[in-house]
Amino acid sequence: MAGGRRVRGVGAVALCLLLSLAGCDGRTAADSARSEVQHLLDLRSAALLRHDAGAYGATGASTEYTRLRALPLASWAYRITGLRRTAGGATVDADLAYKVAGYDRAPIDTRRTLTLARTASGTWYVTGDRPAGKSGQQLWDQGTVTAVPGAHSLVLGAGQPPADLRAYARMADQAVPAVTREWGTDWTRRVVVLVPKSLQGMAGLLGSPAANYRGIAAVTTGEAGGAGRTPADRVVINPDAYAVLGAMGKQVVLTHETTHVATRARTTAATPLWLSEGYADWIGYLGTDRTPTEAAPELARAVRDGHVPAALPADKDFGFTSDPTELAQAYESGWLACRMIADQWGAARLAAFYRGVGGHPQRPGAVESTLEQVLGLTPESFTTRWRTYVRTELR
């Protein structure tokens, strides 16, 4: 009997040691810390959403609150994906999902790295929040966000004068109805424009080297293939390149990028870039007085030299790191292909062609079958017709 009691006693000691490591409810110390930090981040998010500066400050550093307070948010939430204890604190990996009120149907998802410290009493608080690894910056990482709402737009800047942001809003407000007239109403009919302070700021938002965007006035972020779920697109401006454009050029650029926002849910892996970029340019140039030779100067120069392209540009020809002349010719070729469809079959048929190509679940055969269904042409006859059109319009 005594021996049995000793065994039970040793077992009890071992159990106590195990519980001291795991916690009385079976959780490890790491699990407990993760739960506590997640609760802290939930409190921080709730304070931000209800504009409670005091409650936000009680969770840690308030720099982000100051920078974010002008951003109209519908949701904001962190989900911890990893936690590493450090001397006196922790480093946390988290997914941040947020939506801008009135504009985003789906959240922006981005990865963040947060640093936390702990008080002597064991209370966690946030000391820093930055982009994780190779993730791009968010606008508030570059400074205090200024928000300028328009009739159909929201322009967000960091470091730009409000008057400049209002000019962007006026142009975006013209772009949205222009796109809707051609594409239709099955999109949000609202656009969010991000205006960083410089090319470097644009590159930071996109998480890529600045050299990739030098000379590119704007890009649109968002994943193709909405499958019924409209992504939260952003038009990101390169203020350095945008500034050198004339008034018409600036409007064309914003209308082009707004077209990408409108068509994103109908743009899939099946959609070739000559179609998506060409269609955006086609809507962008509508209503301007630009002639084909003015709108397609590089391709016009090639045609005059006797070099009519043998085929429509491939997707690789649209890379921002491509030769500038070849890149310009790729965009101009796509624009003329879309312009030809609108001229010869009508604008409604052009939109139907775009939707039809994007409606295919897989890329192989999408263009070929849609050409036959919508335009009654084979790829070969379409290319021949396009080459003739290029020669005629740019001679």
Side-chain angles (χ1 to χ4, degrees):
M1 295 294 293
R5 283 195 295 273
R6 275 197 300 271
V7 171
R8 286 196 297 274
V10 170
V13 170
L15 180 60
C16 285
L17 288 172
L18 180 60
L19 289 176
S20 71
L21 293 173
C24 293
D25 58 0
R27 295 182 300 167
T28 66
D31 289 337
S32 179
R34 183 169 178 146
S35 177
E36 292 169 3
V37 172
Q38 183 66 66
H39 179 63
L40 174 73
L41 296 182
D42 292 344
L43 291 175
R44 192 171 175 85
S45 298
L48 177 64
L49 289 172
R50 68 174 184 268
H51 300 284
D52 189 334
Y56 191 92
T59 67
S62 295
T63 301
E64 287 77 17
Y65 182 87
T66 302
R67 292 180 170 187
L68 279 164
R69 60 187 173 189
L71 185 63
L73 292 168
S75 64
W76 180 283
Y78 293 96
R79 182 179 63 84
I80 294 177
T81 58
L83 185 148
R84 299 176 298 283
R85 296 295 296 267
T86 61
T91 299
V92 171
D93 298 320
D95 290 334
L96 169 64
Y98 69 93
K99 291 197 298 183
V100 172
Y103 291 86
D104 297 338
R105 290 182 178 176
I108 292 286
D109 295 309
T110 184
R111 293 185 300 114
R112 307 290 292 184
T113 296
L114 296 92
T115 53
L116 293 95
R118 212 170 188 184
T119 65
S121 61
T123 302
W124 291 101
Y125 61 96
V126 176
T127 59
D129 185 341
R130 65 181 187 276
K134 296 181 180 179
S135 297
Q137 295 177 332
Q138 299 298 305
L139 193 62
W140 63 86
D141 292 318
Q142 300 181 4
T144 300
V145 174
T146 300
V148 175
H152 308 289
S153 62
L154 178 65
V155 179
L156 303 173
Q160 293 281 2
D164 291 354
L165 300 181
R166 286 193 290 272
Y168 285 106
R170 286 192 294 271
M171 287 182 285
D173 284 345
Q174 292 181 49
V176 170
V179 172
T180 301
R181 280 193 296 270
E182 303 304 329
W183 180 250
T185 59
D186 60 340
W187 66 294
T188 60
R189 285 170 284 168
R190 297 169 77 80
V191 63
V192 178
V193 182
L194 305 185
V195 188
K197 192 172 183 179
S198 65
L199 167 61
Q200 292 293 336
M202 178 199 198
L205 295 176
L206 299 171
S208 297
N212 290 357
Y213 303 103
R214 187 166 286 109
I216 305 296
V219 300
T220 303
T221 65
E223 295 182 3
R229 183 172 182 261
T230 304
D233 290 271
R234 298 288 185 265
V235 175
V236 184
I237 300 293
N238 172 1
D240 296 354
Y242 201 84
V244 303
L245 299 174
M248 185 182 69
K250 291 176 179 177
Q251 186 63 63
V252 168
V253 166
L254 260 182
T255 305
H256 173 111
E257 300 302 336
T258 302
T259 303
H260 286 315
V261 175
T263 59
R264 183 72 70 194
R266 298 301 186 97
T267 305
T268 68
T271 310
L273 286 175
W274 70 258
L275 178 57
S276 61
E277 296 299 341
Y279 187 69
D281 266 352
W282 177 74
I283 292 183
Y285 280 117
L286 283 178
T288 71
D289 58 0
R290 299 296 290 272
T291 66
T293 53
E294 290 172 335
E298 296 299 337
L299 192 57
R301 188 173 296 110
V303 170
R304 287 195 299 270
D305 292 341
H307 303 300
V308 177
L312 286 158
D315 284 1
K316 64 179 178 59
D317 298 325
F318 289 88
F320 288 158
T321 57
S322 301
D323 175 85
T325 298
E326 294 176 358
L327 178 61
Q329 289 182 5
Y331 274 86
E332 293 164 7
S333 294
W335 169 65
L336 278 170
C338 291
R339 186 175 186 269
M340 179 189 76
I341 296 172
D343 283 353
Q344 299 182 3
W345 283 272
R349 196 77 67 88
L350 172 58
F353 177 67
Y354 194 112
R355 294 173 187 272
V357 172
H360 285 258
Q362 296 180 349
R363 185 183 182 107
V367 175
E368 291 84 348
S369 59
T370 309
L371 278 171
E372 174 63 32
Q373 293 167 4
V374 178
L375 304 182
L377 297 176
T378 65
E380 293 75 19
S381 59
F382 180 80
T383 300
T384 298
R385 199 161 182 154
W386 167 74
R387 295 185 75 231
T388 300
Y389 186 82
V390 168
R391 279 193 297 266
T392 300
E393 295 297 313
L394 300 182
R395 63 188 174 197

